[in-house]
């Protein structure tokens, strides 16, 4: 990309920084709202469309089954932990030092990062979060988009922008690297496809009935 994307958003030399400053609070809200919306979606599907609920739940489980070996074999701490907190005590690469020196997060972003820091301190640093790649946040957002639109198509007008802003938010808030986003989309697509294939299996449907 020519820039280190997670820190580019709030780089003092970035001409678009005022735009991202304006979007900062909505991005924080969107990022934090995902578990809440996921819970609402599952609840509505369970009551209104049980078959859709089964597909969504299967997708959710498959996402973890795909993600776990990737997290194990390709562990990566978040940009926040790696470069702001430097939990591994490794000096940042030479090419990144100038970028970090120009990183100036606004008040909303500082508040969010402070809350993340508090969680790390409460854990007494007994472990590091190493679930950066693939991004389950993106996979879950794709699940919400797909099954939400399947439940009621007009919801797509809200869920598509929500999904796209989640893609920005996960990197903007220093919780993921850019590569984690397409990885999360791939995991989401594969998981949803596999769940649909299982739901369509007549033998399984007969067993469940």
């Amino acid at each position: 990309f020519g820039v280190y994307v997670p820190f580019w958003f709030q780089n003092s030399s970035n001409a678009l920084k005022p735009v991202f400053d304006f979007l900062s609070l909505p991005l924080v809200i969107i990022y934090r709202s995902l578990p809440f919306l996921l819970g609402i979606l599952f609840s509505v599907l369970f009551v209104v469309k049980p078959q859709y609920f089964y597909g969504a739940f299967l997708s959710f489980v498959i996402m973890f089954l795909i993600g776990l070996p990737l997290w194990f074999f390709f562990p990566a701490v978040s940009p926040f932990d790696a470069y702001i907190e430097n939990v591994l005590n490794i000096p940042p690469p030479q090419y990144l030092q100038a970028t970090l020196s120009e990183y100036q997060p606004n008040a909303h972003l500082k508040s969010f990062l402070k809350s993340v820091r508090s969680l790390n301190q409460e854990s007494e640093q007994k472990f590091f979060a190493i679930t950066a790649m693939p991004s389950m946040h993106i996979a879950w957002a794709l699940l919400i988009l797909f099954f939400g639109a399947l439940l009621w198509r007009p919801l797509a007008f809200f869920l598509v922008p929500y999904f796209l802003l989640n893609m920005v938010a996960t990197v903007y808030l220093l919780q993921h690297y850019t590569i984690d986003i397409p990885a999360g989309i791939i995991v989401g697509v594969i998981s949803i496809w596999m769940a649909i294939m299982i739901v369509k299996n007549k033998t399984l449907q007969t067993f469940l009935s």
Side-chain angles (χ1 to χ4, degrees), residues 7 10-12 17 21 99-106 109-110:
F7 300 107
Q10 289 289 289
N11 195 295
S12 59
K17 186 178 185 302
D21 285 340
T99 299
L100 289 172
S101 68
E102 296 179 354
Y103 183 67
Q104 296 181 3
N106 60 49
L109 185 50
K110 282 183 178 178

Side-chain angles (χ1 to χ4, degrees), residues 20 23-32 165 168-169 172-173:
F20 293 112
L23 292 173
S24 186
L25 182 58
L27 289 174
V28 171
I29 294 173
I30 286 170
Y31 181 85
R32 283 181 161 166
L165 287 173
V168 175
Y172 176 82
L173 298 175

